[in-house]
Amino acid sequence: MIATLLIQHEKLEQLPSGGTLSPYGVHQKHGQITSQALQLLSSQRRQFSNTYISVKLDETSGVAVMKLKRPPVNSLNMELLTEFAINLEKLEIDRGCRGVILTSAVPRIFSAGLDITEMCGKNADHYGEFWRAVQEMWLKLYGSSMVTIAAINGSSPAGGCLMALSCDYRIIANNKKYTIGLNETQLGIVAPFWFKDIITEVIGHRAAERSLQLGMLYSPTDALKIGLVDEVVAEDKVQSTASAVMAQWLTLPDHARQITKSMMRKPSLDRLVTHREADITNFVSYITRDSIQKSLQMYMEMLKKKGR
Amino acid sequence: MIATLLIQHEKLEQLPSGGTLSPYGVHQKHGQITSQALQLLSSQRRQFSNTYISVKLDETSGVAVMKLKRPPVNSLNMELLTEFAINLEKLEIDRGCRGVILTSAVPRIFSAGLDITEMCGKNADHYGEFWRAVQEMWLKLYGSSMVTIAAINGSSPAGGCLMALSCDYRIIANNKKYTIGLNETQLGIVAPFWFKDIITEVIGHRAAERSLQLGMLYSPTDALKIGLVDEVVAEDKVQSTASAVMAQWLTLPDHARQITKSMMRKPSLDRLVTHREADITNFVSYITRDSIQKSLQMYMEMLKKKGR
Amino acid sequence: MIATLLIQHEKLEQLPSGGTLSPYGVHQKHGQITSQALQLLSSQRRQFSNTYISVKLDETSGVAVMKLKRPPVNSLNMELLTEFAINLEKLEIDRGCRGVILTSAVPRIFSAGLDITEMCGKNADHYGEFWRAVQEMWLKLYGSSMVTIAAINGSSPAGGCLMALSCDYRIIANNKKYTIGLNETQLGIVAPFWFKDIITEVIGHRAAERSLQLGMLYSPTDALKIGLVDEVVAEDKVQSTASAVMAQWLTLPDHARQITKSMMRKPSLDRLVTHREADITNFVSYITRDSIQKSLQMYMEMLKKKGR
C-alpha cells in the first residue's frame, strides 16, 4: 500500500481518507444520528457563549477557538467544567468542526487549576459530583477525535497544566513570568494517577517522577527542554502559531489520524474509565477529613484577606 | 560477580560467555538439531542469492550483509518478504553467523514499504496470506538473536522504516533527499499496533504519538534528533560504519547479549503473537471494502500513468 | 484546590502538608508503634557505625549520610547488604530522618557491585540467601519513603549503578576515570529483570536496550547526556551539592511527596515482590552450574594473582 509512495508525493491527497488497517473502535465522529443532531445544532454553530466558556467556530477552516473566561484565574469550578464538556461534545458531533484551539480570555493566566471553593465546606455528594466533572472534562479532552491545540497564553499550574497536556500540541508564550507544571505536591496534595499517567506519556518516566515529586513549575524555555510543551513563541504570536500548526495537522485525513490518536491514548483513557468510581471514592474520603477541611478553610481565609 | 571488575578490565574477555543470571526462554541459537541442519546448509553458506534478496556471509567476521534488491523501490511483496524470512532463518541457525547488516542494493531507496499490488484486486485469502508474511518478516527480524544493523542508504518510509526500527542499531546516509518515518496516516491508513509499539519503544510515547498522527517523514538529521536513527554518516561511509559498529557489538559474549535483547523485546513480540489472527482478520476486513479497493485501484492507475 | 495558587505563591508554605487526594497505600512513616520503636532507637540516633556501613544523622536538617566502607571496592557481600537494609530501615522509622545521602567512604569507587566470592564455592542455600539479600537491599532503597540522593564519588558499575539508579537524584563527580553503567553483559552475565525495569524507567526503552546489550559504562558527562545521572559536579563539590539538593527536596511536604513517589515506583516494586521466589530459583539454578562455577573460580584466581 505504501509502495512507491515516496516518489509520488503529489498524489497522496487523492488517497482514501477513510481507510484504516485496523479498526480500533474509536468513536466515529460522523454517524447518521449525529448528522441529525447536527441539523438541530447548526443554528448555534458560529458562536456559542456561556458563562465561563466562549466558542467561536470558523466554518471555512473547520477550527473552533475555545476560550476559558473566568477571571481572575480561570479556576475550574463545577460550572466551567460542565460547560467545557458540553461545548466540546457539541464540537465533537459537528461535521463542520475538525480542530479546537484551547486558550484563555483572561490575561496572564491559562488556568490556575481546580477551584478550591468546590472542595471546601460542602457535603460528600457535592465533592463526588465535582470530581466526576473533573474526570469528565479530561475524558472528553484527552479522548477527543478532533485535533486539539493548547495556545498557552499565561500560567498553567496543576489542573491547567493537565488540560494543556491533554491536547495534541502545546504552544506557550515566551514570558518568563508564566509557569507550567503539575505542582500539586507543593500544596501538600497528590496528583491523581491519571495526571501521572499523562505527564509520564509526555515527558517520560524519569522526568515525570522528578517533576511530580518536587511539584515543579517550569518557565516556558525549561518546559520546552523537557518536552512539556512543543513550542515557545512570542506572546503576540501564540494564536497565529496555533492556527498555523492546526492548518498543518488538518492536512491529514481525519479518519486515519483519529484512529491513530485513539490507538495511542486508549490505554490511559481505559484506566480511568475502569477505576473511575474508586477514584471518586478516594477523593471524597480524602477531602472530607476534618484536618483537610480545616486546612483548606485556613487557606481560603488567607486568599480572601489577600484579595481585599 | 561483578566485584572488582572495574580495576580488572583487561581480564573481562576470559569470563564465561555463556552465563546468564536469568534464563528468559529466548530461543537458543545453537542446539544439536540446529547443528545438523547447519551441515546441510554449509555448502550454500558463503553466498546465497535469490530473486529479491542477496546474502553474503563473511565467515571470518561472522557477519552477513543482506541486501534488498527489488527495483525500483524495494517495495515489499509476498516473494520478497518470504525470501527475507527464509534467509534470516538460515542465518539464525548458522553457527558461523553472529550479525546481519541490512541494506539496499537499489540506489537512493532503502525500502518504500509494503507493495500496493499485493493489496489490490486479489481475494481475501491472498490478503490474509500477505499480511501473515508481513508479520512473519517482523517477528523474525525484531526477534532475531543475532546483532542486526540497518545501513540505511536511501529513503525508508512506512514498512521500510519498520524494518530499520526493528534492528539493533540504525545508521543513515547524510543526504537531505532521504526521509524516514512511519507516514501511514498521510496515505489515509493506520499503522498497525505493533508498528506503534516499536516506534514508541524507540522514540518514546510523545514523539511517537505526534509522529504517527502526522505521518511524519524525517530528514536524516531530524531523525537523529528524535532518536529514530542512531547515527548519520556520509553516504560513502554507511557500509564501513555499519561494519565497524557491528565489530564493536560482536565483542560482547553472544549468550548474555541475546538473553538481554530478548528480555527487552519479548513483551512486544508476545503481543503480536497473541493477537496475530485478530490482526490478520482486521487487515482483511479493511482491505476488502469496496471503497478501499476502488481507492487503491485509482492510486495504482495514477502510478502507472506516472510511470509511462 | 489549586485555584489562584499562582498569584499567591508566598502562602503556599501554610498549606496542609499531610494532605493527599488519593491514598495509594504507601507505607506510612510515622505510625504509633513506629513512634515507640523510635524511642528505643533514639539513643543510637546520632551515629551508628557497623562493619561496612557508617551512618551519620544530622538531627537539625533531618538528613543522614550513609557511607559504604568496604575497601578496596565496596563490593556488596552478604554482610554489607544486610547492614545496609537494617540501617536504612532504622532511618525509615526514625521521625528525625527525612532524607539519606548515599555515598562511598572509599576513594575512587562508589561500589563495584555484587561480591563474586558470595557466588562461588558455596552451596545452593547460600546462593539463595545471598540473592534474597540483594533483592532486599533494592526493595528497601527503591521503595524508601525518604528522599534518597546518590553522591557518586567514584566508579559505579553493575550493582553499584543499580544502587545509584534507585535513589531519587544522582550527582556524580566530574572525573573521566569514573564510569557508571549496567555492564553485566560484558561479563557474560545478564542483568535481572528488575535492573532492566529500573534503567528503562530512568533512561527510556531505547537507551536502556542499547546500554544493556552492550553492557555500556559511561563517563560522567556521557551519563548526564543520556540521563543516567542528573548532575555532574567538581569532585570536591559532590557532598555539598548533595546537601543543597537535599535541602531543596525537603522543602516539599513529606506526605504528598511520599505518596507521589510510591505511585511512580509501586509497579516495579510489585513486579519483584510478585516474582521474588522465581527470581531466586532462577539465580540459584544458573549459579550452581558446573561451567559457571568453574569460570567464576578461574576469574577469582586471576583476581588473586593480580592482587599479589
Side-chain angles (χ1 to χ4, degrees):
Chain A
M1 182 161 281
I2 299 126
T4 62
L5 66 97
L6 199 81
I7 46 175
Q8 294 271 8
H9 243 135
E10 67 282 18
K11 293 301 179 335
L12 297 186
E13 307 80 83
Q14 289 139 330
L15 264 184
S17 70
T20 163
L21 288 176
S22 349
Y24 285 91
V26 72
H27 45 319
Q28 301 289 330
K29 193 181 165 90
H30 305 132
Q32 283 192 316
I33 299 168
T34 298
S35 178
Q36 288 172 358
L38 183 66
Q39 303 300 329
L40 298 172
L41 285 169
S42 68
S43 55
Q44 316 162 319
R45 225 162 80 177
R46 286 192 185 86
Q47 188 151 350
F48 16 78
S49 199
N50 309 268
T51 311
Y52 297 135
I53 299 272
S54 82
V55 179
K56 200 170 169 182
L57 171 60
D58 177 339
E59 294 187 18
T60 312
S61 65
V63 178
V65 176
M66 204 165 176
K67 287 187 179 171
L68 306 179
K69 47 162 194 168
R70 186 174 179 238
V73 292
N74 285 334
S75 67
L76 309 170
N77 69 347
M78 181 83 90
E79 201 172 344
L80 189 158
L81 291 168
T82 308
E83 285 184 6
F84 181 87
I86 290 173
N87 279 283
L88 200 62
E89 184 63 23
K90 271 190 197 172
L91 296 172
E92 200 76 52
I93 60 174
D94 185 338
R95 268 175 187 275
C97 183
R98 300 173 61 213
V100 176
I101 294 171
L102 180 62
T103 193
S104 164
V106 177
R108 292 182 301 283
I109 189 85
F110 182 73
S111 164
L114 305 185
D115 187 340
I116 194 172
T117 64
E118 296 286 10
M119 301 185 274
C120 198
K122 308 279 199 318
N123 63 26
D125 281 356
H126 180 84
Y127 300 140
E129 283 317 296
F130 177 64
W131 199 245
R132 190 179 300 277
V134 176
Q135 295 173 330
E136 191 64 23
M137 170 274 286
W138 180 73
L139 290 170
K140 286 266 192 303
L141 180 57
Y142 192 68
S144 171
S145 69
M146 298 178 286
V147 176
T148 51
I149 293 181
I152 310 165
N153 51 352
S155 282
S156 192
C161 178
L162 179 80
M163 288 183 110
L165 285 173
S166 303
C167 292
D168 291 317
Y169 197 83
R170 285 161 284 287
I171 299 154
I172 195 168
N174 191 5
N175 184 327
K176 286 178 197 170
K177 291 180 186 166
Y178 299 166
T179 57
I180 183 168
L182 294 179
N183 59 325
E184 279 79 353
T185 51
Q186 286 206 17
L187 315 188
I189 58 178
V190 176
F193 75 88
W194 36 289
F195 284 50
K196 178 264 293 175
D197 285 348
I198 298 318
I199 194 171
T200 299
E201 287 183 350
V202 174
I203 66 174
H205 187 99
R206 167 58 189 156
E209 189 188 290
R210 184 178 167 194
S211 191
L212 288 175
Q213 278 211 56
L214 292 174
M216 289 173 85
L217 288 171
Y218 298 87
S219 70
T221 44
D222 286 345
L224 183 65
K225 268 181 210 154
I226 63 157
L228 199 63
V229 299
D230 298 299
E231 210 171 329
V232 179
V233 301
E235 193 142 14
D236 61 349
K237 302 288 185 205
V238 172
Q239 305 300 334
S240 59
T241 305
S243 298
V245 169
M246 178 63 82
Q248 189 201 348
W249 282 66
L250 292 183
T251 59
L252 276 297
D254 281 337
H255 193 68
R257 191 195 49 69
Q258 287 164 9
I259 294 174
T260 302
K261 181 175 178 176
S262 167
M263 183 167 64
M264 295 301 297
R265 300 193 167 193
K266 200 169 180 303
S268 290
L269 290 165
D270 284 354
R271 225 170 296 140
L272 179 55
V273 170
T274 304
H275 300 292
R276 190 168 186 173
E277 298 307 320
D279 188 51
I280 292 172
T281 306
N282 254 352
F283 173 75
V284 173
S285 103
Y286 163 69
I287 211 76
T288 50
R289 286 186 209 165
D290 284 351
S291 59
I292 301 300
Q293 282 296 312
K294 201 169 163 184
S295 302
L296 292 174
Q297 266 150 10
M298 281 171 58
Y299 183 56
M300 280 177 59
E301 291 299 318
M302 287 187 315
L303 294 182
K304 277 181 201 164
K305 278 178 196 160
K306 170 123 190 174
R308 274 175 207 165
Chain B
M1 183 160 280
I2 298 126
T4 60
L5 65 97
L6 200 82
I7 45 176
Q8 294 270 7
H9 241 135
E10 68 280 19
K11 296 297 179 340
L12 297 186
E13 306 80 82
Q14 289 139 328
L15 265 183
S17 71
T20 163
L21 289 177
S22 349
Y24 286 91
V26 74
H27 46 317
Q28 301 289 329
K29 194 180 164 91
H30 305 130
Q32 284 195 315
I33 298 168
T34 299
S35 179
Q36 286 173 0
L38 183 67
Q39 303 300 329
L40 299 171
L41 285 168
S42 68
S43 55
Q44 315 163 320
R45 223 162 80 177
R46 286 191 185 88
Q47 186 151 350
F48 16 78
S49 200
N50 307 268
T51 311
Y52 298 135
I53 299 273
S54 82
V55 178
K56 199 171 171 180
L57 171 61
D58 178 338
E59 296 187 16
T60 313
S61 64
V63 178
V65 176
M66 204 167 175
K67 288 188 178 170
L68 307 179
K69 49 162 193 167
R70 188 175 177 236
V73 292
N74 285 337
S75 66
L76 309 170
N77 69 347
M78 181 83 91
E79 201 171 345
L80 189 158
L81 291 167
T82 308
E83 286 183 5
F84 182 86
I86 290 173
N87 280 283
L88 200 62
E89 184 63 22
K90 271 190 197 172
L91 296 172
E92 200 76 52
I93 59 174
D94 185 337
R95 267 176 188 276
C97 183
R98 301 173 60 212
V100 176
I101 294 171
L102 180 62
T103 192
S104 165
V106 177
R108 292 181 301 283
I109 190 86
F110 181 73
S111 164
L114 305 184
D115 188 339
I116 195 173
T117 64
E118 296 286 11
M119 300 185 273
C120 197
K122 309 280 200 315
N123 63 26
D125 282 355
H126 180 84
Y127 301 140
E129 283 317 297
F130 177 63
W131 200 244
R132 189 179 301 278
V134 176
Q135 295 173 331
E136 191 63 23
M137 170 272 286
W138 180 73
L139 290 171
K140 286 266 192 305
L141 180 56
Y142 192 68
S144 171
S145 70
M146 297 178 286
V147 176
T148 51
I149 293 180
I152 311 165
N153 52 351
S155 282
S156 191
C161 178
L162 179 80
M163 288 182 109
L165 285 173
S166 304
C167 292
D168 291 317
Y169 197 83
R170 286 161 283 287
I171 299 154
I172 194 167
N174 191 5
N175 185 328
K176 286 178 198 171
K177 291 180 185 166
Y178 299 165
T179 58
I180 183 168
L182 295 179
N183 60 325
E184 280 79 352
T185 51
Q186 286 205 18
L187 314 188
I189 58 178
V190 174
F193 75 88
W194 36 288
F195 284 49
K196 178 264 294 176
D197 286 348
I198 298 319
I199 194 171
T200 298
E201 286 183 350
V202 174
I203 66 174
H205 187 100
R206 167 58 189 158
E209 189 189 289
R210 183 177 168 194
S211 191
L212 287 175
Q213 278 210 56
L214 292 173
M216 289 173 84
L217 288 171
Y218 298 87
S219 70
T221 46
D222 287 345
L224 183 65
K225 269 180 210 153
I226 63 157
L228 199 63
V229 300
D230 297 299
E231 211 170 329
V232 179
V233 302
E235 193 141 15
D236 60 349
K237 302 288 186 205
V238 172
Q239 305 301 333
S240 59
T241 305
S243 299
V245 170
M246 179 64 82
Q248 188 201 347
W249 282 65
L250 292 183
T251 59
L252 277 297
D254 280 337
H255 194 67
R257 192 195 49 70
Q258 287 164 9
I259 295 174
T260 302
K261 181 174 178 176
S262 167
M263 182 167 64
M264 296 301 297
R265 300 194 166 192
K266 201 169 179 302
S268 291
L269 290 165
D270 284 352
R271 223 170 297 140
L272 179 55
V273 170
T274 304
H275 300 290
R276 189 167 187 173
E277 297 308 318
D279 189 52
I280 293 172
T281 306
N282 254 352
F283 174 75
V284 173
S285 103
Y286 162 69
I287 212 75
T288 50
R289 287 186 208 166
D290 283 352
S291 60
I292 300 301
Q293 282 296 312
K294 202 170 163 184
S295 301
L296 291 174
Q297 266 150 11
M298 281 171 58
Y299 184 58
M300 281 178 58
E301 291 298 319
M302 288 187 315
L303 294 181
K304 278 182 198 162
K305 279 178 195 161
K306 171 124 190 172
R308 272 174 206 165
Chain C
M1 182 161 280
I2 300 126
T4 60
L5 66 98
L6 199 84
I7 46 176
Q8 294 271 7
H9 242 135
E10 66 281 19
K11 295 297 179 337
L12 296 187
E13 306 82 81
Q14 290 139 330
L15 265 184
S17 72
T20 162
L21 288 177
S22 348
Y24 286 90
V26 73
H27 45 321
Q28 301 289 329
K29 193 181 165 87
H30 305 132
Q32 284 192 314
I33 299 167
T34 298
S35 178
Q36 289 172 358
L38 183 67
Q39 303 302 329
L40 299 172
L41 286 168
S42 68
S43 55
Q44 317 164 320
R45 226 162 78 179
R46 284 188 187 89
Q47 187 151 349
F48 15 79
S49 198
N50 309 268
T51 312
Y52 298 135
I53 299 273
S54 81
V55 178
K56 198 172 171 180
L57 171 60
D58 177 338
E59 295 187 17
T60 313
S61 65
V63 178
V65 175
M66 204 166 173
K67 288 187 177 170
L68 306 178
K69 49 163 193 167
R70 187 174 179 238
V73 293
N74 285 335
S75 67
L76 309 170
N77 70 345
M78 181 83 91
E79 200 172 345
L80 189 157
L81 291 167
T82 308
E83 285 183 6
F84 182 86
I86 289 174
N87 279 284
L88 200 61
E89 185 62 23
K90 271 189 197 173
L91 296 173
E92 200 76 53
I93 60 174
D94 185 338
R95 268 176 186 275
C97 183
R98 300 173 61 212
V100 176
I101 294 171
L102 181 62
T103 193
S104 165
V106 178
R108 293 183 301 282
I109 189 85
F110 181 73
S111 164
L114 306 184
D115 187 341
I116 194 172
T117 64
E118 297 285 10
M119 302 184 272
C120 197
K122 309 280 199 318
N123 63 27
D125 282 355
H126 179 85
Y127 301 140
E129 284 316 296
F130 177 64
W131 199 245
R132 189 179 301 278
V134 176
Q135 295 173 331
E136 191 64 23
M137 170 273 286
W138 181 74
L139 290 171
K140 286 266 192 303
L141 180 57
Y142 192 68
S144 172
S145 68
M146 297 179 286
V147 176
T148 51
I149 293 180
I152 311 165
N153 52 352
S155 283
S156 191
C161 178
L162 179 80
M163 288 183 110
L165 285 173
S166 303
C167 292
D168 290 317
Y169 196 84
R170 286 161 283 287
I171 299 154
I172 194 168
N174 192 6
N175 185 328
K176 286 177 198 171
K177 291 181 185 165
Y178 299 165
T179 57
I180 182 168
L182 295 178
N183 60 324
E184 279 79 353
T185 51
Q186 286 205 16
L187 314 188
I189 58 178
V190 175
F193 75 89
W194 37 289
F195 284 49
K196 178 265 292 174
D197 285 348
I198 298 319
I199 194 171
T200 299
E201 287 184 350
V202 174
I203 67 174
H205 187 99
R206 167 57 189 157
E209 189 189 290
R210 183 178 167 194
S211 190
L212 288 175
Q213 278 210 56
L214 292 173
M216 290 173 84
L217 287 171
Y218 299 87
S219 71
T221 46
D222 287 344
L224 183 65
K225 268 182 210 152
I226 64 158
L228 199 62
V229 299
D230 297 299
E231 211 170 329
V232 179
V233 302
E235 192 140 16
D236 60 350
K237 302 288 185 204
V238 172
Q239 305 300 334
S240 59
T241 304
S243 297
V245 169
M246 179 62 83
Q248 188 202 347
W249 281 66
L250 291 182
T251 59
L252 276 297
D254 280 338
H255 193 67
R257 190 195 49 70
Q258 287 164 8
I259 295 174
T260 302
K261 181 174 177 176
S262 167
M263 183 167 64
M264 295 301 297
R265 300 193 167 193
K266 200 170 180 301
S268 290
L269 290 165
D270 284 353
R271 223 170 297 140
L272 179 55
V273 170
T274 304
H275 300 292
R276 190 167 187 174
E277 298 308 320
D279 189 52
I280 293 173
T281 306
N282 254 352
F283 174 75
V284 173
S285 103
Y286 163 70
I287 212 74
T288 50
R289 287 186 210 165
D290 284 351
S291 60
I292 300 300
Q293 281 296 313
K294 201 170 163 185
S295 300
L296 292 175
Q297 266 149 11
M298 281 171 57
Y299 183 57
M300 280 177 59
E301 291 299 320
M302 287 187 315
L303 294 182
K304 278 181 200 162
K305 277 178 196 161
K306 170 123 190 172
R308 271 174 207 165

